[in-house]
Amino acid sequence: MHQRSRRRVDSLSIVLVLQAVALLLMPAAVLASHSSHFLSDDSVQNGHIYYDDNMDRYHSALKYADRQWSAEGSVQIKETPKNKNPTLKVITYAISDNLCGGWVPLSGPDRIQVNRLTIVNNRCGSNAPETVLLHEMGHALRIYDHTSPADVMDVMYKYMIRYDFQGNSWQCPLTLQSHDKHDFHYWWG
Amino acid sequence: MSTRARRTPFHPLLVFGVLLGIASLSLVAVARDAELGTPVRPHIVITEPSYAYDFSNDQILVGTSEFVFLGQVVEQVSAKGIPTSDPEIEIPLTQFSVRVIEQIKGKLPTEGVVVSQSSGVDKSSGDLILVDGDPLLNPGEIVLFSVNLEPDFGWYQIAAGPYGAIRAKDARESDALVARFQEAEQKQFVPVVDPNFVPVVEPEVSDDATSLTEDQHSEGRDKKDKHSRNDKKAKQDKQQ
C-alpha cells in the first residue's frame, strides 16, 4: 500500500517536471517561430526612417512605398530633414543580375538599391518599381522574406513574379497584405 | 591566525597588475598588426534581395540566363563596382577569371572568360557585402554558373546571386550538376513578358504626389516629367 502511493507520487512528480519543462520551452518555441519572420537589423532610429532619395526616376514610387508602410503607424518614414542624418539611402543601378532590388544593412546609413534594368525588362512585374520598393522597405522595417507557398500574394514574398507551371502566375501586390501587416505590428506595435 | 584569515586568494593589486598586463599585451599586438599591415577583417553584411522569379527552380534559372556552364575559378582579377544614381555610391562587384569546363547553354570562349559576382567590399562603408549570404568565389572552386553578358563592362554577370553560382564539392557532384542542368536546359522555362507593360521612364513627380490615389498613381507612371525633383533641387541650389 505504502509502496503503491510512493510510486504514484513518483509518477506525479515526473509529470509535473515534464509539464514545467514544456512550459519553460513554450515561450522559446513561440519566440523562435516568430524570430524567423524578422531580420537582426533595421533602418529605424527612434521610431523614424529618414531616407535620402536618390531615385533618379522613381521618386513617386518611393513616396508610394513610404506612404503604405507609414499608414500602419508606429514608425514614421520620411525624407531626411535638414537637421537630421539619413538612416537609409535609396538608389538605383543597372546590371543583368536578375535581382529587382535589395536592402543592405551597412555600418553607415543602410541602403535600398533598385535595379532599373530588371524592372525595365519587365522581370519584376507590371507594378514595379512600387512593389520592389514596398518589399525592400519591409526589410528596412526588419521583416524577413515570406517563403511559404501560402504567402504567394504577400508583399514580403521573396519572388516578384511567381509561376505554378499549371499556367497560373502571380505578381507582387501593390498593397500590404494581412501577413505583411501582422509582421509589422508584431515587431513595431 | 587572524592575519591568515584576512588574506584573500587574489590580492586586488595582483588582479589589477594581471589585467594591466593583458591590456598592454593586447595594445602591443594591435599596434604590431597595424604596423605590419595585417588585414583587418571587414564587417560582413548580407543584402536581402528581391528576386525577379523563383530561381531555386532550375528551369526558370536556365530560361532567364544567356549562358549556363561548368567552370573552374582561376583567380580574382578585379573588384570594379558599377555606378548608381548617387554619384558617391557604387554597387560593389568582384570579378574572377574562369576556365570553362562544360557548356550547357550558349557558346562561350574556352579561355579569357571573366565572371562578375554581385558581392564585394563597399567603398563608402568598408563593409563586405554578400548578396543573400553568397560568399565570394575562391580560386580552384568548380562552379555551375548561370550568367548574362555585360558587353559594356566586358564580363559575364552572375545571375540571381547564389542561385547563379552553385559550388560542386567534388567530381561526382559536378557531374550531377551538369546532368541536372542539361535536363533543365531541355525543359527551360522562359517567362512571358506582359505585352501591356509600359516601363517607367520618368514618372510625374509633383509635390502633391503624396495625395495621389493608387489609380492616379498608376496613370502618372505613363507621363513624362523632365523636371524631376533632383533637377528642381539643382536649380534651387544654383539660384542660391
Side-chain angles (χ1 to χ4, degrees), chain A residues 20-182:
Chain A
V21 170
L23 277 171
L24 279 170
L25 289 177
M26 202 181 286
V30 169
L31 202 68
S33 71
H34 275 101
S35 66
S36 64
H37 279 98
F38 299 100
L39 297 165
S40 56
D41 204 355
D42 55 62
S43 303
V44 181
Q45 212 170 54
N46 301 324
H48 288 87
I49 288 180
Y50 293 127
Y51 63 81
D52 272 2
D53 174 0
N54 292 298
M55 284 302 280
D56 187 19
R57 61 186 74 182
Y58 296 147
H59 299 292
S60 55
L62 178 57
K63 280 273 178 207
Y64 178 85
D66 132 7
R67 228 169 42 242
Q68 286 276 318
W69 283 110
S70 289
E72 295 303 309
S74 305
V75 178
Q76 287 299 307
I77 303 169
K78 50 182 159 185
E79 273 196 81
T80 314
K82 279 181 183 169
N83 59 341
K84 300 279 182 189
N85 290 320
T87 63
L88 183 68
K89 291 189 171 188
V90 192
I91 57 166
T92 68
Y93 69 105
I95 198 94
S96 59
D97 60 5
N98 286 347
L99 302 180
C100 295
W103 173 73
V104 197
L106 293 166
S107 301
D110 299 336
R111 192 181 295 162
I112 283 179
Q113 49 201 41
V114 174
N115 192 342
R116 294 191 307 268
L117 189 65
T118 325
I119 288 173
V120 168
N121 288 337
N122 193 15
R123 290 190 159 184
C124 305
S126 306
N127 294 322
E130 284 84 347
T131 45
V132 176
L133 282 157
L134 259 180
H135 181 96
E136 298 310 336
M137 199 61 89
H139 286 319
L141 289 160
R142 203 179 265 253
I143 303 170
Y144 192 60
D145 282 322
H146 295 173
T147 49
S148 159
D151 300 330
V152 78
M153 276 310 292
D154 290 355
V155 160
M156 292 313 295
Y157 195 69
K158 199 172 183 176
Y159 312 109
M160 290 288 121
I161 303 177
R162 309 95 196 210
Y163 295 95
D164 68 353
F165 296 94
Q166 315 274 318
N168 300 311
S169 65
W170 297 266
Q171 293 192 11
C172 182
L174 260 173
T175 50
L176 300 176
Q177 305 298 298
S178 57
H179 190 181
D180 303 315
K181 290 180 183 183
H182 171 269

